[in-house]
Amino acid sequence: AYFKHNLFKESNLDGANLNGANLVHSLKLKTASLIGTNLVGSDLSHLDLGNVNLSLSNLCKANLQKTNLDNALLQGVNFSEVNLIEASLLNANLVEANLDKADLTKASLEGASLAQARVLSTIFLEANLTGSCIESWHIDYETKLENVICDYVYLRRNKIERRPSNESEYFKPGDFFTLVRSSVETVDLIFQGGLNWQAFFD
C-alpha cells in the first residue's frame, strides 16, 4: 500500500498491520503512536521519525535507509535484516532490540542504548558508536565492526562504567574493533552479564 503525504498525522496506530507499506511521503508519521505495529518489509527511508515510539514493533526487512530515529523508543523492536544504512539513531533506546543481520553501515548511534540487544551478524561498518551502551549485548564473530568510530562506550546503562575508564582518555582508531573482536574470537561467546569486561577494556 502507498500512503499519501501526512496521512498519519497525530494518529494512533498501535498494533496496526502496515506490512509492506510505502510510507516515504508520510512526513508527520513521527506524531503517530506506533507501539507494536507490523511494518514488515515497509519503506520508511528518509523519514523524520525522531522521538517516535515504535517499541515492540516488527520491522523485519524494512527499509530505513537515511531515516532519522534520534531519541526514538525502539525497545524490543525486530530490526532483523533491516536496511539502516546511514540512519541516525542518536540517543535511541534499542534495549532488547533484535538487529540480527541488519545493515547499519555509516549509521549514527552516538549515545544509543544497545543493552541486551541482539547484533548477531549485524553490519556496523563505519558506524559511530561513541557513547553508546553495550551492556550484555548479544554479539558473535560474524558481527562486522571494521572501521567503527568509537571514542568510548559504557558497559552499563545510565552512563555507568565508561571505557576507557579515565574520562580524559579515548579509544584510538581501531581499538574498539580490536578489543571486541578479540574477546569474541578468543572465547567464542555471546556477551552475557557475567562477562568480565574490565579484562578487555582496562
Side-chain angles (χ1 to χ4, degrees):
Y2 187 93
F3 295 93
K4 294 181 180 179
H5 179 76
N6 291 347
L7 177 64
F8 298 133
K9 185 177 182 180
E10 298 179 357
S11 297
N12 186 327
L13 293 166
D14 291 352
N17 186 349
L18 299 173
N19 191 336
N22 185 331
L23 304 170
V24 292
H25 296 299
S26 302
L27 300 182
K28 295 297 183 182
L29 191 64
K30 69 177 181 178
T31 65
S33 182
L34 294 161
I35 299 171
T37 303
N38 180 0
L39 288 158
V40 174
S42 297
D43 187 353
L44 295 159
S45 59
H46 298 83
L47 289 184
D48 181 2
L49 299 178
N51 300 294
V52 73
N53 190 345
L54 279 162
S55 297
L56 304 176
S57 294
N58 187 355
L59 285 91
C60 178
K61 298 183 179 180
N63 179 13
L64 285 91
Q65 184 168 359
K66 294 187 177 181
T67 297
N68 174 25
L69 289 160
D70 293 348
N71 303 298
L73 298 177
L74 307 170
Q75 187 164 355
V77 171
N78 181 8
F79 281 120
S80 60
E81 301 182 62
V82 167
N83 176 0
L84 283 159
I85 296 172
E86 295 185 56
S88 185
L89 294 131
L90 305 180
N91 301 307
N93 181 347
L94 289 154
V95 174
E96 297 181 350
N98 178 3
L99 289 154
D100 291 352
K101 298 182 179 179
D103 191 344
L104 287 113
T105 298
K106 296 185 177 180
S108 299
L109 291 146
E110 295 100 304
S113 179
L114 291 158
Q116 297 182 310
R118 291 174 55 93
V119 292
L120 307 180
S121 301
T122 304
I123 301 171
F124 287 107
L125 302 179
E126 299 183 58
N128 192 330
L129 288 163
T130 296
S132 62
C133 173
I134 57 173
E135 175 184 344
S136 302
W137 70 346
H138 302 273
I139 188 170
D140 65 4
Y141 66 93
E142 293 185 355
T143 303
K144 298 186 183 303
L145 295 161
E146 289 83 358
N147 298 317
V148 162
I149 300 166
C150 187
D151 293 336
Y152 59 93
V153 293
Y154 294 101
L155 307 186
R156 295 289 180 265
R157 283 173 253 197
N158 301 314
K159 297 184 178 181
I160 297 173
E161 292 195 40
R162 182 188 188 274
R163 294 294 184 273
S165 55
N166 188 331
E167 294 195 7
S168 66
E169 296 180 356
Y170 301 92
F171 289 135
K172 296 176 182 178
D175 280 356
F176 179 77
F177 168 78
T178 300
L179 293 169
V180 174
R181 178 63 67 193
S182 64
S183 68
V184 175
E185 293 179 346
T186 300
V187 293
D188 191 24
L189 49 71
I190 291 176
F191 290 155
Q192 301 284 346
L195 178 65
N196 181 5
W197 281 97
Q198 188 166 350
F200 297 112
F201 286 93
D202 276 354

